[in-house]
Amino acid sequence: SQQGEEDPQALSIQEGENATMNCSYKTSINNLQWYRQNSGRGLVHLILIRSNEREKHSGRLRVTLDTSKKSSSLLITASRAADTASYFCATRISGGTSYGKLTFGQGTILTVHP
Amino acid sequence: EAGVAQSPRYKIIEKRQSVAFWCNPISGHATLYWYQQILGQGPKLLIQFQNNGVVDDSQLPKDRFSAERLKGVDSTLKIQPAKLEDSAVYLCASSLATLGGRRMNTEAFFGQGTRLTVV
């Protein structure tokens, strides 16, 4: 089964608006990562947040992590048509026999209209 | 820096045939991953190697799928025999992550994937 679950499954916005995607997970993690996938291509890493961090920024990206609620959010500010893609959260498990395992959620499809 | 290389890019086979995919990770990356991504879904981890040892293969259908990592570098994933439901993109990724070390906080780099169609 997948570790992370993204919400919403699909998001459609206008250029210039902000896009927020959420991720929930089940087990203890070492870190949480967000990836982007353009249609028909491999995944590209966007940002990583460690389990002892609460917020991180990278350009127009802002990620928050709430380990008590086992949830994270990705905010893309001032979105552009080029941001249209699928976004996935991934968690690196911190305990158990599969320590270091990297598992992905189902993703959010973001469409930004010009 | 060269990225993760995968081949072939596309493969069409008939059910019950066998197929193999190859992956060459980024030089120096200790961890290698194989994911299966069915259309419209997130990548599902099939197997994760640390050097040439297995970290996790709990979701690898071992009756038909096998994977090996040669000398802790290149890897092959094989399906024998293939089923219709194996149609998917098979993604290989690598990272610097080392178990128990300080470099756990690293990202994975993905190849372009192999699109498999089983007819």
Side-chain angles (χ1 to χ4, degrees):
Chain A
S1 62
Q2 300 294 85
Q3 157 79 323
E5 296 296 333
E6 279 95 333
D7 168 58
Q9 289 187 324
L11 182 60
S12 182
I13 59 174
Q14 294 296 126
E15 211 166 29
E17 294 181 339
N18 295 341
T20 299
M21 289 160 264
N22 303 296
C23 170
S24 60
Y25 57 92
K26 298 173 184 174
T27 62
S28 296
I29 61 170
N30 180 283
N31 62 69
L32 187 144
Q33 306 175 29
W34 285 89
Y35 289 78
R36 166 193 169 127
Q37 185 178 37
N38 286 77
S39 180
R41 293 177 174 257
L43 283 80
V44 175
H45 180 264
L46 295 175
I47 193 166
L48 179 152
I49 186 165
R50 295 178 176 82
S51 60
N52 60 355
E53 296 177 316
R54 292 298 167 256
E55 188 172 312
K56 200 161 184 180
H57 298 254
S58 176
R60 294 184 296 113
L61 305 179
R62 172 178 167 252
V63 172
T64 61
L65 179 65
D66 186 336
T67 53
S68 66
K69 295 181 179 178
K70 291 187 167 57
S71 67
S72 173
S73 67
L74 171 68
L75 169 68
I76 304 174
T77 60
S79 63
R80 306 166 182 167
D83 294 330
T84 295
S86 293
Y87 292 81
F88 297 91
C89 69
T91 52
R92 197 174 287 283
I93 293 173
S94 64
T97 57
S98 297
Y99 182 81
K101 180 178 174 180
L102 185 65
T103 59
F104 283 78
Q106 293 299 319
T108 293
I109 300 171
L110 174 65
T111 304
V112 182
H113 299 282
Chain B
E1 174 180 82
V4 176
Q6 287 188 248
S7 68
R9 285 296 311 276
Y10 305 93
K11 190 75 178 179
I12 300 174
I13 62 172
E14 295 183 348
K15 59 183 178 182
R16 292 188 289 274
Q17 285 187 323
S18 62
V19 64
F21 312 127
W22 174 82
C23 174
N24 180 235
I26 293 173
S27 178
H29 280 193
T31 306
L32 185 146
Y33 318 76
W34 282 103
Y35 291 90
Q36 178 194 60
Q37 187 175 26
I38 293 172
L39 186 65
Q41 298 183 16
K44 175 180 134 181
L45 180 67
L46 293 176
I47 189 166
Q48 179 172 331
F49 292 99
Q50 173 78 2
N51 295 309
N52 53 7
V54 176
V55 171
D56 187 277
D57 63 357
S58 58
Q59 296 195 90
L60 185 73
K62 298 179 184 66
D63 58 334
R64 298 185 301 107
F65 286 63
S66 64
E68 61 178 359
R69 189 171 185 195
L70 308 172
K71 298 180 182 179
V73 181
D74 291 6
S75 179
T76 55
L77 176 69
K78 297 179 182 177
I79 307 175
Q80 182 178 11
K83 293 185 176 181
L84 297 177
E85 60 259 35
D86 298 333
S87 294
V89 175
Y90 291 85
L91 296 164
C92 178
S94 68
S95 68
L96 280 169
T98 58
L99 293 180
R102 295 178 184 174
R103 294 185 292 176
M104 282 297 297
N105 294 327
T106 57
E107 72 230 57
F109 294 83
F110 280 79
Q112 290 298 301
T114 296
R115 183 176 299 276
L116 173 68
T117 303
V118 183
V119 297

PDB file of all heavy atoms in Angstrom, chain B residues 30-57:
ATOM      1  N   ALA B  30      24.684   4.973  -3.680  1.00  0.00           N
ATOM      2  CA  ALA B  30      24.626   3.677  -3.016  1.00  0.00           C
ATOM      3  C   ALA B  30      23.253   3.029  -3.139  1.00  0.00           C
ATOM      4  O   ALA B  30      23.127   1.811  -3.125  1.00  0.00           O
ATOM      5  CB  ALA B  30      24.997   3.830  -1.540  1.00  0.00           C
ATOM      6  N   THR B  31      22.222   3.853  -3.239  1.00  0.00           N
ATOM      7  CA  THR B  31      20.858   3.322  -3.205  1.00  0.00           C
ATOM      8  C   THR B  31      20.228   3.352  -4.592  1.00  0.00           C
ATOM      9  O   THR B  31      20.334   4.348  -5.304  1.00  0.00           O
ATOM     10  CB  THR B  31      19.989   4.117  -2.225  1.00  0.00           C
ATOM     11  OG1 THR B  31      20.625   4.133  -0.945  1.00  0.00           O
ATOM     12  CG2 THR B  31      18.620   3.482  -2.075  1.00  0.00           C
ATOM     13  N   LEU B  32      19.591   2.259  -4.944  1.00  0.00           N
ATOM     14  CA  LEU B  32      18.909   2.153  -6.233  1.00  0.00           C
ATOM     15  C   LEU B  32      17.496   1.641  -6.001  1.00  0.00           C
ATOM     16  O   LEU B  32      17.273   0.749  -5.175  1.00  0.00           O
ATOM     17  CB  LEU B  32      19.685   1.202  -7.171  1.00  0.00           C
ATOM     18  CG  LEU B  32      19.178   1.076  -8.610  1.00  0.00           C
ATOM     19  CD1 LEU B  32      20.348   0.870  -9.577  1.00  0.00           C
ATOM     20  CD2 LEU B  32      18.158  -0.021  -8.757  1.00  0.00           C
ATOM     21  N   TYR B  33      16.544   2.239  -6.712  1.00  0.00           N
ATOM     22  CA  TYR B  33      15.133   1.916  -6.547  1.00  0.00           C
ATOM     23  C   TYR B  33      14.522   1.517  -7.896  1.00  0.00           C
ATOM     24  O   TYR B  33      14.852   2.100  -8.919  1.00  0.00           O
ATOM     25  CB  TYR B  33      14.339   3.127  -6.053  1.00  0.00           C
ATOM     26  CG  TYR B  33      14.960   3.982  -4.986  1.00  0.00           C
ATOM     27  CD1 TYR B  33      15.988   4.872  -5.284  1.00  0.00           C
ATOM     28  CD2 TYR B  33      14.493   3.950  -3.673  1.00  0.00           C
ATOM     29  CE1 TYR B  33      16.541   5.691  -4.320  1.00  0.00           C
ATOM     30  CE2 TYR B  33      15.028   4.771  -2.691  1.00  0.00           C
ATOM     31  CZ  TYR B  33      16.057   5.645  -3.023  1.00  0.00           C
ATOM     32  OH  TYR B  33      16.595   6.456  -2.049  1.00  0.00           O
ATOM     33  N   TRP B  34      13.584   0.577  -7.847  1.00  0.00           N
ATOM     34  CA  TRP B  34      12.721   0.279  -8.984  1.00  0.00           C
ATOM     35  C   TRP B  34      11.282   0.546  -8.552  1.00  0.00           C
ATOM     36  O   TRP B  34      10.823   0.028  -7.522  1.00  0.00           O
ATOM     37  CB  TRP B  34      12.840  -1.176  -9.424  1.00  0.00           C
ATOM     38  CG  TRP B  34      14.046  -1.501 -10.240  1.00  0.00           C
ATOM     39  CD1 TRP B  34      15.174  -2.144  -9.822  1.00  0.00           C
ATOM     40  CD2 TRP B  34      14.239  -1.230 -11.641  1.00  0.00           C
ATOM     41  NE1 TRP B  34      16.056  -2.281 -10.869  1.00  0.00           N
ATOM     42  CE2 TRP B  34      15.508  -1.729 -11.988  1.00  0.00           C
ATOM     43  CE3 TRP B  34      13.459  -0.621 -12.625  1.00  0.00           C
ATOM     44  CZ2 TRP B  34      16.032  -1.639 -13.288  1.00  0.00           C
ATOM     45  CZ3 TRP B  34      13.976  -0.535 -13.905  1.00  0.00           C
ATOM     46  CH2 TRP B  34      15.235  -1.034 -14.230  1.00  0.00           C
ATOM     47  N   TYR B  35      10.589   1.354  -9.359  1.00  0.00           N
ATOM     48  CA  TYR B  35       9.195   1.663  -9.106  1.00  0.00           C
ATOM     49  C   TYR B  35       8.362   1.238 -10.304  1.00  0.00           C
ATOM     50  O   TYR B  35       8.811   1.304 -11.450  1.00  0.00           O
ATOM     51  CB  TYR B  35       8.982   3.159  -8.891  1.00  0.00           C
ATOM     52  CG  TYR B  35       9.561   3.711  -7.607  1.00  0.00           C
ATOM     53  CD1 TYR B  35      10.861   4.190  -7.565  1.00  0.00           C
ATOM     54  CD2 TYR B  35       8.798   3.761  -6.443  1.00  0.00           C
ATOM     55  CE1 TYR B  35      11.392   4.710  -6.389  1.00  0.00           C
ATOM     56  CE2 TYR B  35       9.321   4.278  -5.264  1.00  0.00           C
ATOM     57  CZ  TYR B  35      10.619   4.751  -5.239  1.00  0.00           C
ATOM     58  OH  TYR B  35      11.140   5.255  -4.068  1.00  0.00           O
ATOM     59  N   GLN B  36       7.127   0.861 -10.017  1.00  0.00           N
ATOM     60  CA  GLN B  36       6.139   0.603 -11.067  1.00  0.00           C
ATOM     61  C   GLN B  36       5.089   1.706 -10.990  1.00  0.00           C
ATOM     62  O   GLN B  36       4.543   1.972  -9.909  1.00  0.00           O
ATOM     63  CB  GLN B  36       5.462  -0.760 -10.843  1.00  0.00           C
ATOM     64  CG  GLN B  36       4.386  -1.100 -11.862  1.00  0.00           C
ATOM     65  CD  GLN B  36       3.527  -2.276 -11.415  1.00  0.00           C
ATOM     66  OE1 GLN B  36       2.887  -2.216 -10.364  1.00  0.00           O
ATOM     67  NE2 GLN B  36       3.517  -3.340 -12.199  1.00  0.00           N
ATOM     68  N   GLN B  37       4.835   2.368 -12.115  1.00  0.00           N
ATOM     69  CA  GLN B  37       3.826   3.416 -12.120  1.00  0.00           C
ATOM     70  C   GLN B  37       2.766   3.092 -13.161  1.00  0.00           C
ATOM     71  O   GLN B  37       3.009   3.189 -14.373  1.00  0.00           O
ATOM     72  CB  GLN B  37       4.442   4.793 -12.394  1.00  0.00           C
ATOM     73  CG  GLN B  37       3.431   5.922 -12.236  1.00  0.00           C
ATOM     74  CD  GLN B  37       4.047   7.298 -12.380  1.00  0.00           C
ATOM     75  OE1 GLN B  37       5.065   7.479 -13.029  1.00  0.00           O
ATOM     76  NE2 GLN B  37       3.419   8.290 -11.769  1.00  0.00           N
ATOM     77  N   ILE B  38       1.599   2.733 -12.677  1.00  0.00           N
ATOM     78  CA  ILE B  38       0.446   2.491 -13.552  1.00  0.00           C
ATOM     79  C   ILE B  38      -0.197   3.826 -13.858  1.00  0.00           C
ATOM     80  O   ILE B  38      -0.202   4.733 -13.004  1.00  0.00           O
ATOM     81  CB  ILE B  38      -0.532   1.515 -12.869  1.00  0.00           C
ATOM     82  CG1 ILE B  38       0.124   0.132 -12.761  1.00  0.00           C
ATOM     83  CG2 ILE B  38      -1.862   1.434 -13.614  1.00  0.00           C
ATOM     84  CD1 ILE B  38      -0.643  -0.865 -11.952  1.00  0.00           C
ATOM     85  N   LEU B  39      -0.710   3.963 -15.054  1.00  0.00           N
ATOM     86  CA  LEU B  39      -1.281   5.225 -15.511  1.00  0.00           C
ATOM     87  C   LEU B  39      -2.275   5.791 -14.515  1.00  0.00           C
ATOM     88  O   LEU B  39      -3.205   5.110 -14.077  1.00  0.00           O
ATOM     89  CB  LEU B  39      -1.964   5.009 -16.879  1.00  0.00           C
ATOM     90  CG  LEU B  39      -2.480   6.253 -17.567  1.00  0.00           C
ATOM     91  CD1 LEU B  39      -1.319   7.166 -17.947  1.00  0.00           C
ATOM     92  CD2 LEU B  39      -3.283   5.890 -18.806  1.00  0.00           C
ATOM     93  N   GLY B  40      -2.044   7.049 -14.126  1.00  0.00           N
ATOM     94  CA  GLY B  40      -2.955   7.721 -13.212  1.00  0.00           C
ATOM     95  C   GLY B  40      -2.682   7.466 -11.740  1.00  0.00           C
ATOM     96  O   GLY B  40      -3.401   7.975 -10.879  1.00  0.00           O
ATOM     97  N   GLN B  41      -1.628   6.696 -11.446  1.00  0.00           N
ATOM     98  CA  GLN B  41      -1.300   6.388 -10.058  1.00  0.00           C
ATOM     99  C   GLN B  41       0.096   6.889  -9.701  1.00  0.00           C
ATOM    100  O   GLN B  41       0.877   7.288 -10.562  1.00  0.00           O
ATOM    101  CB  GLN B  41      -1.384   4.876  -9.823  1.00  0.00           C
ATOM    102  CG  GLN B  41      -2.775   4.293 -10.040  1.00  0.00           C
ATOM    103  CD  GLN B  41      -2.835   2.816  -9.726  1.00  0.00           C
ATOM    104  OE1 GLN B  41      -1.943   2.265  -9.077  1.00  0.00           O
ATOM    105  NE2 GLN B  41      -3.895   2.164 -10.172  1.00  0.00           N
ATOM    106  N   GLY B  42       0.403   6.843  -8.415  1.00  0.00           N
ATOM    107  CA  GLY B  42       1.740   7.203  -7.978  1.00  0.00           C
ATOM    108  C   GLY B  42       2.698   6.038  -8.147  1.00  0.00           C
ATOM    109  O   GLY B  42       2.270   4.896  -8.311  1.00  0.00           O
ATOM    110  N   PRO B  43       4.001   6.308  -8.116  1.00  0.00           N
ATOM    111  CA  PRO B  43       4.973   5.222  -8.242  1.00  0.00           C
ATOM    112  C   PRO B  43       4.881   4.269  -7.049  1.00  0.00           C
ATOM    113  O   PRO B  43       4.816   4.713  -5.906  1.00  0.00           O
ATOM    114  CB  PRO B  43       6.324   5.953  -8.246  1.00  0.00           C
ATOM    115  CG  PRO B  43       5.997   7.364  -8.605  1.00  0.00           C
ATOM    116  CD  PRO B  43       4.647   7.625  -8.044  1.00  0.00           C
ATOM    117  N   LYS B  44       4.885   2.990  -7.338  1.00  0.00           N
ATOM    118  CA  LYS B  44       4.846   1.963  -6.297  1.00  0.00           C
ATOM    119  C   LYS B  44       6.232   1.318  -6.211  1.00  0.00           C
ATOM    120  O   LYS B  44       6.750   0.817  -7.206  1.00  0.00           O
ATOM    121  CB  LYS B  44       3.795   0.911  -6.640  1.00  0.00           C
ATOM    122  CG  LYS B  44       3.741  -0.282  -5.695  1.00  0.00           C
ATOM    123  CD  LYS B  44       2.661  -1.251  -6.160  1.00  0.00           C
ATOM    124  CE  LYS B  44       3.140  -2.658  -6.163  1.00  0.00           C
ATOM    125  NZ  LYS B  44       2.117  -3.602  -6.643  1.00  0.00           N
ATOM    126  N   LEU B  45       6.808   1.338  -5.019  1.00  0.00           N
ATOM    127  CA  LEU B  45       8.153   0.784  -4.854  1.00  0.00           C
ATOM    128  C   LEU B  45       8.123  -0.731  -4.992  1.00  0.00           C
ATOM    129  O   LEU B  45       7.406  -1.423  -4.263  1.00  0.00           O
ATOM    130  CB  LEU B  45       8.708   1.158  -3.476  1.00  0.00           C
ATOM    131  CG  LEU B  45      10.112   0.646  -3.171  1.00  0.00           C
ATOM    132  CD1 LEU B  45      11.147   1.316  -4.076  1.00  0.00           C
ATOM    133  CD2 LEU B  45      10.467   0.886  -1.698  1.00  0.00           C
ATOM    134  N   LEU B  46       8.915  -1.239  -5.934  1.00  0.00           N
ATOM    135  CA  LEU B  46       9.024  -2.685  -6.099  1.00  0.00           C
ATOM    136  C   LEU B  46      10.201  -3.223  -5.275  1.00  0.00           C
ATOM    137  O   LEU B  46      10.067  -4.216  -4.561  1.00  0.00           O
ATOM    138  CB  LEU B  46       9.238  -3.040  -7.572  1.00  0.00           C
ATOM    139  CG  LEU B  46       8.067  -2.741  -8.519  1.00  0.00           C
ATOM    140  CD1 LEU B  46       8.454  -3.054  -9.954  1.00  0.00           C
ATOM    141  CD2 LEU B  46       6.835  -3.534  -8.107  1.00  0.00           C
ATOM    142  N   ILE B  47      11.332  -2.567  -5.385  1.00  0.00           N
ATOM    143  CA  ILE B  47      12.515  -3.018  -4.658  1.00  0.00           C
ATOM    144  C   ILE B  47      13.468  -1.856  -4.476  1.00  0.00           C
ATOM    145  O   ILE B  47      13.562  -0.983  -5.340  1.00  0.00           O
ATOM    146  CB  ILE B  47      13.204  -4.196  -5.392  1.00  0.00           C
ATOM    147  CG1 ILE B  47      14.313  -4.811  -4.534  1.00  0.00           C
ATOM    148  CG2 ILE B  47      13.731  -3.788  -6.762  1.00  0.00           C
ATOM    149  CD1 ILE B  47      14.793  -6.173  -5.043  1.00  0.00           C
ATOM    150  N   GLN B  48      14.130  -1.830  -3.319  1.00  0.00           N
ATOM    151  CA  GLN B  48      15.123  -0.806  -3.011  1.00  0.00           C
ATOM    152  C   GLN B  48      16.395  -1.520  -2.574  1.00  0.00           C
ATOM    153  O   GLN B  48      16.378  -2.344  -1.666  1.00  0.00           O
ATOM    154  CB  GLN B  48      14.616   0.127  -1.902  1.00  0.00           C
ATOM    155  CG  GLN B  48      15.598   1.218  -1.508  1.00  0.00           C
ATOM    156  CD  GLN B  48      14.983   2.221  -0.550  1.00  0.00           C
ATOM    157  OE1 GLN B  48      13.782   2.457  -0.570  1.00  0.00           O
ATOM    158  NE2 GLN B  48      15.809   2.812   0.296  1.00  0.00           N
ATOM    159  N   PHE B  49      17.488  -1.197  -3.254  1.00  0.00           N
ATOM    160  CA  PHE B  49      18.800  -1.758  -2.936  1.00  0.00           C
ATOM    161  C   PHE B  49      19.652  -0.725  -2.202  1.00  0.00           C
ATOM    162  O   PHE B  49      19.586   0.471  -2.479  1.00  0.00           O
ATOM    163  CB  PHE B  49      19.567  -2.127  -4.224  1.00  0.00           C
ATOM    164  CG  PHE B  49      19.007  -3.266  -5.008  1.00  0.00           C
ATOM    165  CD1 PHE B  49      18.206  -3.030  -6.117  1.00  0.00           C
ATOM    166  CD2 PHE B  49      19.307  -4.572  -4.681  1.00  0.00           C
ATOM    167  CE1 PHE B  49      17.704  -4.080  -6.872  1.00  0.00           C
ATOM    168  CE2 PHE B  49      18.818  -5.630  -5.430  1.00  0.00           C
ATOM    169  CZ  PHE B  49      18.014  -5.381  -6.530  1.00  0.00           C
ATOM    170  N   GLN B  50      20.476  -1.201  -1.290  1.00  0.00           N
ATOM    171  CA  GLN B  50      21.528  -0.403  -0.689  1.00  0.00           C
ATOM    172  C   GLN B  50      22.812  -1.130  -1.058  1.00  0.00           C
ATOM    173  O   GLN B  50      23.061  -2.228  -0.572  1.00  0.00           O
ATOM    174  CB  GLN B  50      21.360  -0.315   0.830  1.00  0.00           C
ATOM    175  CG  GLN B  50      22.499   0.347   1.554  1.00  0.00           C
ATOM    176  CD  GLN B  50      22.464   1.858   1.452  1.00  0.00           C
ATOM    177  OE1 GLN B  50      21.561   2.433   0.856  1.00  0.00           O
ATOM    178  NE2 GLN B  50      23.429   2.519   2.046  1.00  0.00           N
ATOM    179  N   ASN B  51      23.607  -0.515  -1.953  1.00  0.00           N
ATOM    180  CA  ASN B  51      24.725  -1.222  -2.593  1.00  0.00           C
ATOM    181  C   ASN B  51      24.141  -2.478  -3.257  1.00  0.00           C
ATOM    182  O   ASN B  51      23.237  -2.337  -4.077  1.00  0.00           O
ATOM    183  CB  ASN B  51      25.828  -1.511  -1.588  1.00  0.00           C
ATOM    184  CG  ASN B  51      26.437  -0.213  -1.078  1.00  0.00           C
ATOM    185  OD1 ASN B  51      26.824   0.647  -1.862  1.00  0.00           O
ATOM    186  ND2 ASN B  51      26.491  -0.051   0.240  1.00  0.00           N
ATOM    187  N   ASN B  52      24.578  -3.673  -2.940  1.00  0.00           N
ATOM    188  CA  ASN B  52      23.923  -4.812  -3.586  1.00  0.00           C
ATOM    189  C   ASN B  52      23.068  -5.624  -2.628  1.00  0.00           C
ATOM    190  O   ASN B  52      22.684  -6.752  -2.924  1.00  0.00           O
ATOM    191  CB  ASN B  52      24.938  -5.692  -4.317  1.00  0.00           C
ATOM    192  CG  ASN B  52      26.074  -6.097  -3.415  1.00  0.00           C
ATOM    193  OD1 ASN B  52      26.045  -5.836  -2.227  1.00  0.00           O
ATOM    194  ND2 ASN B  52      27.083  -6.722  -3.982  1.00  0.00           N
ATOM    195  N   GLY B  53      22.716  -5.031  -1.473  1.00  0.00           N
ATOM    196  CA  GLY B  53      21.786  -5.649  -0.544  1.00  0.00           C
ATOM    197  C   GLY B  53      20.394  -5.065  -0.716  1.00  0.00           C
ATOM    198  O   GLY B  53      20.249  -3.958  -1.205  1.00  0.00           O
ATOM    199  N   VAL B  54      19.374  -5.807  -0.289  1.00  0.00           N
ATOM    200  CA  VAL B  54      17.978  -5.374  -0.451  1.00  0.00           C
ATOM    201  C   VAL B  54      17.471  -4.710   0.827  1.00  0.00           C
ATOM    202  O   VAL B  54      17.532  -5.294   1.905  1.00  0.00           O
ATOM    203  CB  VAL B  54      17.074  -6.581  -0.805  1.00  0.00           C
ATOM    204  CG1 VAL B  54      15.615  -6.144  -0.865  1.00  0.00           C
ATOM    205  CG2 VAL B  54      17.506  -7.184  -2.132  1.00  0.00           C
ATOM    206  N   VAL B  55      16.986  -3.472   0.697  1.00  0.00           N
ATOM    207  CA  VAL B  55      16.384  -2.754   1.825  1.00  0.00           C
ATOM    208  C   VAL B  55      14.924  -3.175   1.984  1.00  0.00           C
ATOM    209  O   VAL B  55      14.448  -3.409   3.090  1.00  0.00           O
ATOM    210  CB  VAL B  55      16.473  -1.229   1.614  1.00  0.00           C
ATOM    211  CG1 VAL B  55      15.666  -0.476   2.664  1.00  0.00           C
ATOM    212  CG2 VAL B  55      17.925  -0.776   1.597  1.00  0.00           C
ATOM    213  N   ASP B  56      14.217  -3.247   0.849  1.00  0.00           N
ATOM    214  CA  ASP B  56      12.802  -3.609   0.888  1.00  0.00           C
ATOM    215  C   ASP B  56      12.392  -4.165  -0.464  1.00  0.00           C
ATOM    216  O   ASP B  56      12.727  -3.598  -1.490  1.00  0.00           O
ATOM    217  CB  ASP B  56      11.945  -2.379   1.230  1.00  0.00           C
ATOM    218  CG  ASP B  56      10.475  -2.750   1.447  1.00  0.00           C
ATOM    219  OD1 ASP B  56       9.731  -2.857   0.445  1.00  0.00           O
ATOM    220  OD2 ASP B  56      10.080  -2.929   2.603  1.00  0.00           O
ATOM    221  N   ASP B  57      11.695  -5.270  -0.445  1.00  0.00           N
ATOM    222  CA  ASP B  57      11.111  -5.832  -1.669  1.00  0.00           C
ATOM    223  C   ASP B  57       9.731  -6.393  -1.351  1.00  0.00           C
ATOM    224  O   ASP B  57       9.285  -7.347  -1.990  1.00  0.00           O
ATOM    225  CB  ASP B  57      12.022  -6.889  -2.292  1.00  0.00           C
ATOM    226  CG  ASP B  57      12.220  -8.105  -1.384  1.00  0.00           C
ATOM    227  OD1 ASP B  57      11.702  -8.106  -0.248  1.00  0.00           O
ATOM    228  OD2 ASP B  57      12.901  -9.056  -1.813  1.00  0.00           O
TER     229      ASP B  57
END
